[in-house]
Amino acid sequence: MRKLFIKSFLLFFLFIPIINAQKPQKPSSAEIYNQIQKLNFLGTVLYIAAHPDDENTRLISYLANDVHARTGYLSLTRGDGGQNLIGSQLRELLGVIRTQELLEARKIDGGEQFFSRANDFGYSKNPEETLQIWDKDKVLADLVWVIRKFQPDVIINRFDHRSPGTTHGHHTSSAMLSMEGFDLANNPKAFPEQLKLEQPWQPKRVFFNTSWWFYGSKEKFDAADKTNLIGIPTGVYFPTLGKSNQEIAALSRSSHKSQGFGSTGARGTDTEYLEFLKGEPLQNKASIFEGIDTSWNRVKGGKPIGELVTKISNEYDFRNPSASIPNLVKAYSMIQALDENHWKSVKSEEIKKIIADCSGLFLEAVSTTQETTPGSTVKVNLEAINRSPVDIQLVSVTTLPEQKTTVLNTILKNNSLYNSSVEIQLPETINYTQPYWLKEKGTDGLYTVEDQKNIGIPDIIREVKVIFNVKINNIEIPFERIVVYKRNDEVKGEVYNFLDIVPEVTTTIQDKVLLFPNTKSKYVGITIKSGKNDIKGNLKLDLPKNWKVSPESIAFQLDKKGTEQTVYFEVTPPSQVSEVVAKSIATIDNVAYDKEQIIIHYDHITKQQVLKTSEVKCIRMDLKTNQEKIAYIMGAGDEVPQSLSQMGYKVTIVKPEEITPEKLENFDVVMTGIRAYNTVKALAYKQDILFDFVKNGKTMIVQYNTNGDLVTSKIAPYPLKLSNDRVTEENAEVRFLAPTNPALNYPNTINQNDFKGWKQEQGLYYPREFDKAFTPILSSNDKGEIAKEGALLIAPYGKGNYIYTGLSLFRELPEGVPGAYKLLSNLISTKPSVSVPNQKIKQ
Ligand SMILES: [Zn+2]
């Protein structure tokens, strides 16, 4: 009995995609018809790659919408290591954004989404490095787990497992692991601990989704022998949807906004190519499902269901979808009568959705508050309406997680609105809402996920739900809805979010790094936010004994939920060099709270709450600066200005339209943010002013830009060509090409130790060809590669200095890497006129 319960629990949580719809989907008659056709297809494809954006949305959309296959995308990582085009979130916070973007993409192309625990730790040039940092066995286990639970008939790799070194190491690794996983998933000796929850599964065959890109050019690919390839006609037009497959794919791809992958739809014939790799070979290349029964006959007792669904499909009335309800309900009850199996749970969810859509059944549970705390009671307004002539009875509602059922026995008459409300008592032990993969601290290469059942699940797991138990034609059908919160925005209209469970109190330390260049104390601001009404407690800033904090603790009192109060501690560093982490701890009634609430809010994704330990890195180092006045021009978004302020500089953010000779007169240095020349179009027209600024004796520091899509070809006063050169080994040895250059000597002496402790990468998109006016200062390279000399280039121009650096200062400074501060201070102070004090050059 217990086993049975576990089984049904798992079916519920494992096989069914948890799509947290931003807004309820309201499909048209044609879209419902598409779903009915899908109901009659029992075949599954899993597409495997490494990152959000690797997936081929043309193929996914074609398989989901034309073939009607269950189509999943397993992205091994959440894309944490990439660059963010729309804001300053990096690392795991960027992973949270990309996760949501992928979910939005799948809503458009009809696919389902999975992830492994692998962390996108940054660029890696070969699979050996990737698999070592990831922990190969664990990522392979996750891939096998997803195969066992999704049960694909066909696997498609985006990348070639046979060509390590030709692309990102994550890419090749995804294909190599897929090939291994294909062999292991059906082997009960492989990852046997998973078999307590899932059965072994053998996919039929695996393909490589090749394209001209892998051949070097379109011409080469056109000329290549394709006898070993199967062509997939992805250029289809869906007349009932009014869109071509490529148009749907482009809409899906455009969800990747943080990567700037807006895509324009194409029309007309198009072919995707698959190379057969392993499994049962195709005889006649007519379908990737050859030899697999994709009808209801593949399920024991499924034949009559298939016949009935075919009848429903043939008789479907586009003008009146509700005419299909009696047969749909009949098919639903036939599915319920099947023995427990994979397809039973998959198809139950599909047909329930179709029944609701055909009857215009709208069911919603809306919380009256967006945030609440464990142990609270939440008022939830219920809305239920049936827009069909079929009599529907709302029997009861069951609220989760408390599993309390309220009997309603109400008839939902055609187009007659039913409103009521329930109160949900949340347990004290309910989890705070947050991405489950960020709850525990992970390693550089892998997230920590304790519960095997959660692995693979794409989204935040939300526990507060309402099940509407509805009776149609005497058949009871439960419809589950996650409790949402919605409000009206004067500009955007209806805005949907979810109910979030928040801690009673959270604290945010205003800085993420506190830099102490000398023994002078600094004030640290901490903002306290209440998660509920009437909280009263004490706040402490916890630091090792050799650091001094005053006062020892600060009492706080907040009357209203959601209000904030900022308090200040004075921190005095020790006289010697020291690097420590200070934690902010609030205590209420002897319970300690140490979390910071981070809210990620963009229009294209639902609001995300991430909870991190509230802490600040405190660094006592000897840092010399000359107090220059800095104008900072933001690019794609970075936190360098905050770091400059920490170093003691006066920093002013100057908007591109404000760049005038008069405005710049007040500054000693102009610094451009990361990818400014990729994202700020106005800079193309301001270069003369900026170069004159340098000519007149000032300094300009340009941080990295990518080599594609520059807003001007003249980013420097001398010829300078960006390349793909990068040094991804963050602690690669750095050699000094110009050891006496002021950049390495004044006001701080730089030595090799200053390049230790860097994070993720050393630098990227280094110029490879540059004018002889530039002095290359540094040289380094990843293992086995030739030296790269474009990391830091300095050229005198007029009376000033132009500096170009691809060093990833934007990552190192917010991480509190001392060497990065010293080097940046030197770059700010470097001027041709500065004479280097006579000193021994340390190396
Ligand atoms: Zn990729």
Side-chain angles (χ1 to χ4, degrees), residues 222-291:
D222 287 342
D225 173 21
K226 298 193 185 64
T227 45
N228 205 20
L229 306 182
I230 169 172
I232 307 286
T234 50
V236 292
Y237 175 64
F238 301 112
T240 57
L241 304 176
K243 291 187 188 90
S244 73
N245 183 58
Q246 303 99 308
E247 286 173 324
I248 295 174
L251 290 172
S252 167
R253 187 140 185 95
S254 299
S255 302
H256 295 301
K257 297 199 190 304
S258 68
Q259 324 212 35
F261 279 160
S263 176
T264 299
R267 290 154 291 278
T269 51
D270 199 4
T271 308
E272 281 294 326
Y273 288 95
L274 302 180
E275 179 190 346
F276 172 80
L277 295 176
K278 202 159 41 172
E280 209 176 286
L282 294 174
Q283 300 303 322
N284 56 31
K285 292 189 178 183
S287 158
I288 56 170
F289 286 102
E290 196 184 288

Side-chain angles (χ1 to χ4, degrees), residues 542-560:
D542 208 24
L543 266 161
K545 281 206 174 66
N546 56 338
W547 289 69
K548 238 178 76 191
V549 186
S550 170
E552 210 169 280
S553 78
I554 297 175
F556 62 84
Q557 180 167 7
L558 292 161
D559 300 336
K560 268 192 100 81

Side-chain angles (χ1 to χ4, degrees), residues 202-461:
Q202 183 56 59
K204 195 88 157 180
R205 49 183 72 98
V206 54
F207 295 97
F208 160 44
N209 177 201
T210 189
S211 82
W212 66 264
W213 188 80
F214 295 95
Y215 287 71
S217 73
K218 282 187 173 140
E219 293 69 35
K220 279 187 195 161
F221 187 56
D222 287 342
D225 173 21
K226 298 193 185 64
T227 45
N228 205 20
L229 306 182
I230 169 172
I232 307 286
T234 50
V236 292
Y237 175 64
F238 301 112
T240 57
L241 304 176
K243 291 187 188 90
S244 73
N245 183 58
Q246 303 99 308
E247 286 173 324
I248 295 174
L251 290 172
S252 167
R253 187 140 185 95
S254 299
S255 302
H256 295 301
K257 297 199 190 304
S258 68
Q259 324 212 35
F261 279 160
S263 176
T264 299
R267 290 154 291 278
T269 51
D270 199 4
T271 308
E272 281 294 326
Y273 288 95
L274 302 180
E275 179 190 346
F276 172 80
L277 295 176
K278 202 159 41 172
E280 209 176 286
L282 294 174
Q283 300 303 322
N284 56 31
K285 292 189 178 183
S287 158
I288 56 170
F289 286 102
E290 196 184 288
I292 300 160
D293 190 348
T294 56
S295 75
W296 273 95
N297 294 340
R298 89 183 282 179
V299 177
K300 189 181 153 210
K303 192 164 177 271
I305 300 171
E307 286 163 2
L308 182 55
V309 176
T310 303
K311 186 172 147 63
I312 293 167
S313 176
N314 290 341
E315 292 175 0
Y316 183 73
D317 182 351
F318 280 81
R319 290 162 304 178
N320 180 21
S322 70
S324 300
I325 296 172
N327 277 331
L328 282 166
V329 171
K330 196 169 157 198
Y332 172 79
S333 59
M334 286 161 80
I335 295 170
Q336 299 322 296
L338 293 172
D339 294 342
E340 289 302 324
N341 72 67
H342 177 72
W343 284 111
K344 178 180 174 179
S345 48
V346 171
K347 292 296 171 188
S348 290
E349 287 306 308
E350 283 183 18
I351 197 167
K352 273 162 62 173
K353 193 171 175 311
I354 297 169
I355 291 169
D357 292 341
C358 280
S359 47
L361 182 63
F362 182 88
L363 303 167
E364 194 167 70
V366 184
S367 166
T368 51
T369 178
Q370 203 266 307
E371 293 185 345
T372 192
T373 48
S376 315
T377 303
V378 190
K379 187 180 173 203
V380 175
N381 291 325
L382 306 177
E383 181 180 335
I385 187 165
N386 159 29
R387 271 87 52 93
S388 78
V390 178
D391 268 352
I392 297 180
Q393 190 185 355
L394 178 56
V395 179
S396 62
V397 287
T398 305
T399 53
L400 300 178
E402 57 180 349
Q403 294 218 342
K404 191 175 134 193
T405 297
T406 310
V407 176
L408 298 170
N409 280 332
T410 302
I411 301 291
L412 299 175
K413 288 224 167 67
N414 190 357
N415 209 23
S416 170
L417 184 65
Y418 171 82
N419 284 117
S420 72
S421 66
V422 285
E423 292 205 324
I424 303 182
Q425 171 68 46
L426 301 179
E428 292 285 352
T429 52
I430 194 167
N431 290 309
Y432 298 134
T433 305
Q434 63 178 325
Y436 69 88
W437 60 95
L438 296 179
K439 203 175 162 198
E440 311 289 336
K441 226 179 171 73
T443 64
D444 279 353
L446 202 75
Y447 287 121
T448 301
V449 179
E450 300 289 352
D451 193 343
Q452 176 70 39
K453 292 198 294 298
N454 291 348
I455 290 175
I457 293 178
D459 205 357
I460 287 176
I461 297 164

Side-chain angles (χ1 to χ4, degrees), residues 100-156:
Q100 294 303 315
E101 290 178 343
L102 272 185
L103 290 169
E104 293 300 320
R106 295 296 83 80
K107 274 187 231 164
I108 295 165
D109 61 34
E112 296 172 33
Q113 188 61 47
F114 303 100
F115 294 99
S116 82
R117 283 171 292 174
N119 190 324
D120 178 6
F121 55 83
Y123 194 81
S124 104
K125 287 174 180 165
N126 61 65
E128 291 74 41
E129 185 202 34
T130 300
L131 293 172
Q132 191 202 336
I133 297 176
W134 272 353
D135 191 337
K136 185 201 158 185
D137 275 357
K138 292 213 168 78
V139 181
L140 180 60
D142 291 2
L143 187 141
V144 166
W145 169 252
V146 171
I147 292 176
R148 284 170 173 173
K149 93 182 188 180
F150 191 58
Q151 301 190 4
D153 301 300
V154 174
I155 290 178
I156 300 174

Side-chain angles (χ1 to χ4, degrees), residues 50-54 159 168 171:
H51 306 118
D53 84 353
D54 287 345
F159 298 101
H168 198 320
H171 292 163

Side-chain angles (χ1 to χ4, degrees), residues 405-596:
T405 297
T406 310
V407 176
L408 298 170
N409 280 332
T410 302
I411 301 291
L412 299 175
K413 288 224 167 67
N414 190 357
N415 209 23
S416 170
L417 184 65
Y418 171 82
N419 284 117
S420 72
S421 66
V422 285
E423 292 205 324
I424 303 182
Q425 171 68 46
L426 301 179
E428 292 285 352
T429 52
I430 194 167
N431 290 309
Y432 298 134
T433 305
Q434 63 178 325
Y436 69 88
W437 60 95
L438 296 179
K439 203 175 162 198
E440 311 289 336
K441 226 179 171 73
T443 64
D444 279 353
L446 202 75
Y447 287 121
T448 301
V449 179
E450 300 289 352
D451 193 343
Q452 176 70 39
K453 292 198 294 298
N454 291 348
I455 290 175
I457 293 178
D459 205 357
I460 287 176
I461 297 164
R462 296 182 187 272
E463 298 176 65
V464 189
K465 301 176 197 178
V466 172
I467 300 171
F468 292 82
N469 301 300
V470 166
K471 209 182 248 183
I472 309 176
N473 282 359
N474 269 324
I475 303 292
E476 203 164 305
I477 309 175
F479 290 95
E480 185 185 279
R481 296 289 182 267
I482 295 172
V483 173
V484 296
Y485 173 78
K486 63 178 181 181
R487 64 182 176 85
N488 187 62
D489 180 280
E490 282 180 1
V491 177
K492 297 171 199 160
E494 196 175 45
V495 176
Y496 269 85
N497 282 303
F498 292 99
L499 171 69
D500 285 337
I501 316 294
V502 304
E504 281 73 356
V505 60
T506 50
T507 61
T508 304
I509 304 176
Q510 284 171 352
D511 298 287
K512 291 295 153 254
V513 173
L514 281 174
L515 199 60
F516 297 86
N518 47 48
T519 52
K520 229 177 100 189
S521 69
K522 273 192 176 180
Y523 282 92
V524 187
I526 302 181
T527 301
I528 309 164
K529 185 184 169 193
S530 62
K532 62 179 197 179
N533 290 339
D534 295 322
I535 61 164
K536 214 165 126 181
N538 278 293
L539 184 71
K540 274 179 104 167
L541 185 65
D542 208 24
L543 266 161
K545 281 206 174 66
N546 56 338
W547 289 69
K548 238 178 76 191
V549 186
S550 170
E552 210 169 280
S553 78
I554 297 175
F556 62 84
Q557 180 167 7
L558 292 161
D559 300 336
K560 268 192 100 81
K561 170 176 144 179
T563 50
E564 295 180 347
Q565 180 189 347
T566 300
V567 298
Y568 293 87
F569 289 95
E570 186 181 7
V571 175
T572 313
S575 54
Q576 68 277 30
V577 170
S578 170
E579 248 188 76
V580 296
V581 173
K583 285 194 167 81
S584 155
I585 297 169
T587 307
I588 305 172
D589 297 332
N590 288 324
V591 180
Y593 298 88
D594 67 349
K595 294 281 181 260
E596 173 184 4

Side-chain angles (χ1 to χ4, degrees), residues 782-813:
D782 287 336
K783 275 187 213 88
E785 296 204 345
I786 56 158
K788 310 276 189 307
E789 300 192 340
L792 177 56
L793 301 171
I794 304 182
Y797 182 67
K799 288 185 266 176
N801 261 340
Y802 174 94
I803 302 176
Y804 189 92
T805 182
L807 289 170
S808 55
L809 297 173
F810 71 104
R811 290 195 193 278
E812 313 312 324
L813 298 169

